[in-house]
Amino acid sequence: MTDALTESLTRDEKAAGLTEEQLHQLVGLVEYDEEQDVFPVTGWDAIVFVVGNATQTAHYYQSAWGMRLEAYSGPENGNRDHKSFVLRSGSIRFVVNGAVDPDSPLADHHRRHGDGVVDIALEVPDVDKCIAQAVSAGATVVREPEDVTDEHGTIRIAAIATYGETRHTLVDRSRYDGPYLPGYVAAESTYVRKEGQPKRLFQALDHIVGNVELGHMDEWVGFYNRVMGFVNMAEFIGDDIATDYSALMSKVVANGNHRVKFPLNEPAIAKKKSQIDEYLEFYRGAGAQHLAVATNDILASVDALRDNGVEFLDTPDSYYEDPELRARIGQVRVPIEELQKRKILVDRDEDGYLLQIFTKPLGDRPTVFFELIERHGSLGFGKGNFKALFEAIEREQERRGNL
Ligand SMILES: [Fe+2]
C-alpha cells in the first residue's frame, strides 16, 4: 500500500507554502494505492474561464477575491485572438480569457454560454499514459499529446472532452519553469491590496461541481469511473436534497486521494423548476456550476470578501436558532453567533465538521458561483445544509423570475 500523503506536492502547492498536513486538512485527502491508478493525477493545474471582458474580470478577481496576477498573454506579445490573464491564490490558478478579435471562437463561446469554465486542467505525471487510458475507455481527445517549448523549458500537454463544451487539459510541467505555459509572459498586479486584508482569501481548490442534463448524471459518473479511474464518494438523491419546489440528484467522483473531487448534478422532477434546469437553460447545456475554494479561516475570508462587495446567499436566522441543528453540530471553533452574523453554514458528520458559504452567481447569467469551505475533519459536502441552501437559491430564483 502506497501512502499517497507522502507523495510530493505539486510545485504550485509548494510555492503556496502548503504542507501535506495542511492540504490534507484543507481539502480532506485520503490514502490510496497509487500503483493501481490507471490515470494518475497530481492535482489541479488551472481553471480556465471564458468571460465577456477578461480585462475587467481579472481586476475583479484581484480586487474582490485577493488573487495576484502572475502571467499574461495578449496582443502585446503576439496573441491577437484574445487576452488571457493568469491569476493565483495559494495553490489555485485561474486563467481568464476574453476575445479581442471579433471573430475569435471565444466570442462565439461567450455568446452561447456567458461567463463560464471551459477547462478544468489537471496536472498529471504522465500525459501519454492518461491519454492512452482515456482513448481505450472511449473518451474524445480534443488535443493530441504534444511537447510545447519556449525558453523556460518544455511542457507535455493534451486534452479530453468532458460534459458540455468543457474539457480537461492534462499537463506535465515537470520540465518547465515558466510563469504558466509557453506563449505567456510573467506579469504583476498593479492592484494594491487593501491594508489589513488577509494575504490570501483562499488557499486551495476543494471541488468543482458539474451540472448535466436530466438522465445523464450516471453516464458522467461512468465516464469518470471508466476513463479517469475516479472512485465514487457519495450520492445524494431523493429526500436528501429535495425541497418542496426544486430538486436535484448528485453523485460525487474523486481521484484516488480525493485531491480532485467532482460532484455531478442532474435536475430531479419537482413542483417547480429545478435550480439545475435554470443553469442548463442559461448556460445552454451542461457545464461547471460551482467552484469550492478551501480556506483555513472562513470568517476572515467572508469578512474581507463582503468588504470588497462580494454577495453571498442569505441564511435565515431560524437556521441558527433551530435546536436540532445546534444539538447536531455540537461544538465548533467559534460561537454559533459568529457564524450567524456572517450567514456561514455548518455541517457535521462522523469524521468531523465543515463550515461553508455560497456566493450569488458571479456573472450576468444565473450560472457559475463559488463556495467557500473550511474543513475540520469532515470529508463531506454539507449534506445537512442542502435544504437551507436550496431554499436560499430558490428565493433568488424567484426574484429572477425563474422558479
Ligand atoms: Fe460544493
Side-chain angles (χ1 to χ4, degrees), residues 61-83:
Y61 282 122
Q62 294 171 78
S63 58
W65 289 85
M67 300 187 83
R68 303 299 296 164
L69 180 68
E70 63 177 22
Y72 171 78
S73 162
E76 300 83 352
N77 63 318
N79 172 5
R80 301 195 61 77
D81 182 73
H82 60 276
K83 281 190 173 184

Side-chain angles (χ1 to χ4, degrees), residues 325-343:
L325 174 103
R326 286 189 175 240
R328 188 167 55 83
I329 62 165
Q331 201 69 27
V332 296
R333 74 172 178 88
V334 290
I336 196 153
E337 290 70 27
E338 293 300 311
L339 303 177
Q340 180 169 6
K341 219 158 64 184
R342 296 170 177 84
K343 309 293 186 185

Side-chain angles (χ1 to χ4, degrees), residues 207 209 290 292 356 358 371 381:
H207 60 272
V209 178
H290 76 260
Q356 63 185 170
F358 298 83
E371 169 185 356
F381 296 87

